[in-house]
């Protein structure tokens, strides 16, 4: 018996005011799966993530989590329902310590220990009493991910994890995405410019170009035949 989707979007369109940034997006995302959203700058990827998180009202369509349609533009409801966004700017409390940053987003009744986060991100062990603003870029990204994971997300949205980071740091962090999906059965949606690394951990991938899906399918398919991705980025229809 097929497992029902955890998160679905139906004819989802998003943007700002009268400006449509992406349109008619249909997704079926299952527990434990990683979706890599790829595409050139300005294709609507971040706007999509903000729409899924309820930070901006959707212009059309529905977002459904575990069979329940979420209200539009209600980030607190989306978050309480289990959707957690790690934005590209990380949004840390830079004047607070690493430990304080991890403790703040912990939900009432959840018992996730800081030790659990330190197992995933051992580089933070010696930095617990350091202010977040003093961390390196890689350490800040680890902290941002820890802050998201202590919320027990059902859907984890990670927008440009590699922003401003050296490739060697990204290579260290990317397998953790796969580990989180496998270990928690959360659905992970990953917006990423490091295409090869994203495809290594993803189950599915889609390419957005000019606000529309230009290509979608199994990540392994695009690992095996990158010419399809190249054509999609260039706006050609893959054959």
């Amino acid at each position: 018996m097929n497992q029902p989707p955890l998160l679905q979007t139906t004819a989802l369109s998003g943007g700002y005011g009268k400006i449509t940034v992406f349109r008619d997006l249909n997704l079926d995302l299952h527990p434990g799966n990683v979706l890599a959203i790829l595409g050139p700058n300005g294709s609507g990827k971040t706007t999509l993530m903000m729409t899924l998180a309820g930070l901006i009202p959707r212009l059309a369509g529905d977002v459904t989590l575990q069979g329940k349609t979420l209200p539009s533009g209600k980030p607190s409801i989306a978050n309480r329902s289990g959707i957690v966004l790690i934005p590209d700017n990380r949004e840390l409390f830079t004047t607070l310590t690493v430990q304080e940053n991890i403790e703040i987003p912990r939900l009432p009744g959840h018992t996730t220990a800081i030790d659990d986060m330190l197992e995933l991100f051992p580089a933070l062990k010696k930095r617990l009493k350091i202010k977040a603003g003093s961390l390196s870029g890689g350490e800040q990204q680890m902290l941002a991910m820890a802050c998201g994971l202590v919320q027990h997300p059902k859907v984890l949205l990670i927008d440009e994890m590699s922003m401003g980071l050296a490739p060697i740091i990204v290579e260290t962090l990317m397998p953790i995405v796969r580990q989180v999906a496998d270990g928690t059965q959360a659905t992970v949606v990953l917006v990423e410019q490091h295409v090869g690394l994203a495809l290594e951990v993803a189950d599915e991938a889609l390419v957005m170009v000019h606000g529309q899906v230009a290509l979608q399918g199994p990540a392994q398919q695009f690992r095996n035949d990158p010419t399809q991705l190249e054509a999609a980025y260039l706006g050609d229809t893959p054959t």
Side-chain angles (χ1 to χ4, degrees):
M1 181 177 180
N2 291 332
Q3 194 174 28
L6 178 65
L7 181 74
Q8 290 181 297
T9 69
T10 306
L12 182 64
S13 297
Y16 307 91
K18 296 182 179 180
I19 300 174
T20 300
V21 177
F22 70 89
R23 60 188 64 82
D24 296 327
L25 183 65
N26 297 296
L27 296 174
D28 288 336
L29 305 179
H30 291 80
N33 278 16
V34 178
L35 171 68
I37 299 182
L38 312 172
N41 291 333
S43 59
K45 303 185 299 295
T46 291
T47 303
L48 168 60
M49 299 289 263
M50 294 177 67
T51 303
L52 292 175
L55 291 170
I56 56 176
R58 50 186 181 261
L59 301 183
D62 291 317
V63 176
T64 304
L65 180 65
Q66 292 182 313
K68 180 180 180 181
T69 300
L70 298 177
S72 175
K74 301 292 184 181
S76 61
I77 294 177
N79 183 258
R80 288 198 302 268
S81 299
I83 298 179
V84 174
L85 171 66
I86 301 174
D88 56 4
N89 64 3
R90 296 159 195 155
E91 290 191 351
L92 300 172
F93 295 99
T94 56
T95 60
L96 299 182
T97 67
V98 168
Q99 182 169 342
E100 289 168 336
N101 269 272
I102 295 174
E103 288 176 342
I104 286 173
R106 289 175 63 185
L107 299 177
H110 284 175
T111 58
T112 302
I114 288 181
D115 287 346
D116 295 334
M117 296 300 101
L118 298 182
E119 286 185 16
L120 279 175
F121 307 105
L124 297 179
K125 286 184 178 180
K126 296 182 179 180
R127 312 291 276 169
L128 284 176
K129 303 303 181 182
I130 301 295
K131 290 183 178 180
S134 299
L135 301 177
S136 68
E139 290 168 340
Q140 287 188 354
Q141 184 60 64
M142 294 176 196
L143 178 56
M145 292 179 68
C147 291
L149 291 172
V150 295
Q151 300 176 59
H152 289 257
K154 297 174 183 175
V155 178
L156 184 64
L157 311 173
I158 307 176
D159 192 10
E160 296 287 7
M161 182 174 68
S162 63
M163 181 75 72
L165 302 183
I168 191 170
I169 301 298
V170 183
E171 290 176 7
T172 301
L173 292 175
M174 199 66 73
I176 296 175
V177 174
R178 182 74 261 169
Q179 185 179 347
V180 166
D182 292 341
T184 68
Q185 286 300 289
T187 292
V188 180
V189 182
L190 177 70
V191 167
E192 187 51 60
Q193 291 294 340
H194 284 261
V195 174
L197 294 176
L199 291 176
E200 285 296 323
V201 302
D203 300 288
E204 302 284 331
L206 67 82
V207 179
M208 294 180 68
V209 178
H210 302 308
Q212 293 183 305
V213 176
L215 185 66
Q216 186 172 0
Q220 184 175 354
Q221 172 183 327
F222 305 133
R223 290 197 298 267
N224 295 339
D225 184 9
T227 60
Q228 296 182 63
L229 289 174
E230 295 168 6
Y233 268 73
L234 293 173
D236 297 331
T237 302
T239 57

